[in-house]
Amino acid sequence: MPRPQRRFELMSWPEVSQAALRPGSTLIWPFGAVEQHGPHLPLATDAVFADRILDAVLSGLNDNDPIWRLPLQSLGFSPEHAGFHGTLSLSADLLLNLVESVGTQLASLGFRRLVLFNAHGGQIALLQTAARQLRSRSPSLAVLPCFLWSGVEGLDQWLSSSELQGGLHAGQAETSLMLSLHPELVGEIRPIDGIHCDGSPASPPTGWSLEGAAPCAWLTTDLSSSGVIGDCSAASAEIGDSLEQALISHWQQRFRSLLDSDWPPVTPVAGAPDGC
Ligand SMILES: [Zn+2]
């Protein structure tokens, strides 16, 4: 657990106002989801990951770094999983408004940076849109939307290439990480799935893809009858331990470089004479 002083909601109002005015003051807002994760993982899998990995990352930074975390946003945008019981999705509008409403208040306090630390793949694009919208309305606040698993190098040491490409949900990576963090929350049924309900392999039209350059906005029911898209039978706690360390180390480096930077640049006032 990070020191309590790292938690925005545990500070007093004078502490928050002092924190906001420190040079480079940075807030990390963890985002998860409450959505089906196959028959073996809890609905809050992404929320657990965002919360736990962020705490570990922050506890490895220097005590006097100007960085704090906001409370976990555990409900997210998950319409692709609506065909499975237990999924509770916010609307896109609601999530956009939430980020803008909270972000503008943080900007008015004087905070300089807000990282949207997201562990749910289905809301990457929406949080990027929310970040761009917030930044344009509060230019003094840098907004950095990121995805827990993106850009982490070396995952191919532990995950097969087919899982890295097609293990989109509740597969080897997520099941392994949960076996490392909370083995008591992982069930025994471990399907390999990612096929149509009639048993034929699910594949997008030629030239299109599930994700990436030409994605097809799939619904989980297009691909899977269990809710798993991938091979969770290949998961292990050992793989999960390695993934956990890789994620912590990656995000510690990213946050360190952000704290050492002077981002965001000071925005020139439109029409002012150019001082260069
Ligand atoms: Zn997930």
Side-chain angles (χ1 to χ4, degrees):
M1 285 287 289
R3 298 182 318 135
Q5 295 92 320
R6 283 246 198 263
R7 297 188 82 104
F8 181 94
E9 74 276 22
L10 296 183
M11 290 194 278
S12 65
W13 74 259
E15 287 171 331
V16 163
S17 78
Q18 276 184 351
L21 297 178
R22 286 185 58 190
S25 55
T26 299
L27 286 168
I28 317 293
W29 189 358
F31 282 80
V34 175
E35 63 183 27
Q36 74 82 18
H37 268 77
H40 63 302
L41 290 177
L43 300 170
T45 290
D46 296 342
V48 169
F49 291 167
D51 199 48
R52 288 288 305 273
I53 298 295
L54 177 56
D55 276 350
V57 169
L58 292 179
S59 66
L61 298 178
N62 297 328
D63 279 355
N64 57 1
D65 285 331
I67 186 167
W68 300 270
R69 60 162 287 174
L70 290 167
L72 172 70
Q73 176 56 39
S74 55
L75 289 173
F77 176 68
S78 309
E80 71 275 29
H81 298 298
F84 295 82
H85 291 174
T87 299
L88 299 176
S89 181
L90 304 179
S91 69
D93 280 356
L94 191 51
L95 202 54
L96 287 170
N97 289 337
L98 175 74
V99 172
E100 185 183 349
S101 173
V102 172
T104 50
Q105 293 172 72
L106 297 170
S108 71
L109 287 172
F111 283 101
R112 299 290 286 146
R113 303 172 182 135
L114 176 63
V115 176
L116 309 179
F117 189 70
N118 170 39
H120 169 39
Q123 61 195 11
I124 294 172
L126 183 59
L127 289 175
Q128 288 172 342
T129 301
R132 191 55 63 68
Q133 178 175 267
L134 172 58
R135 181 78 206 285
S136 72
R137 295 192 181 157
S138 300
S140 65
L141 181 72
V143 191
L144 301 101
C146 59
F147 178 52
L148 177 69
W149 297 93
S150 282
V152 182
E153 290 183 354
L155 295 181
D156 56 354
Q157 296 171 68
W158 308 293
L159 303 173
S160 66
S161 57
S162 62
E163 274 303 279
L164 278 169
Q165 270 209 306
L168 298 179
H169 193 69
Q172 187 185 21
E174 289 194 310
T175 305
S176 295
L177 186 56
M178 191 61 90
L179 282 168
S180 173
L181 294 174
H182 280 295
E184 75 282 7
L185 297 181
V186 184
E188 290 305 318
I189 302 169
R190 309 272 171 88
I192 304 170
D193 210 340
I195 55 173
H196 289 304
C197 297
D198 65 3
S200 61
S203 58
T206 304
W208 296 80
S209 50
L210 293 179
E211 298 290 329
C216 47
W218 48 268
L219 301 175
T220 308
T221 47
D222 296 334
L223 307 172
S224 169
S225 56
S226 67
V228 171
I229 305 170
D231 180 4
C232 57
S233 72
S236 73
E238 292 70 32
I239 293 173
D241 291 346
S242 301
L243 295 175
E244 182 184 357
Q245 290 314 310
L247 289 165
I248 292 168
S249 151
H250 173 84
W251 289 108
Q252 273 173 349
Q253 288 171 32
R254 284 285 187 283
F255 290 175
R256 179 84 269 145
S257 96
L258 180 61
L259 289 166
D260 290 344
S261 77
D262 53 8
W263 188 263
V266 176
T267 313
V269 178
D274 188 349
C276 298

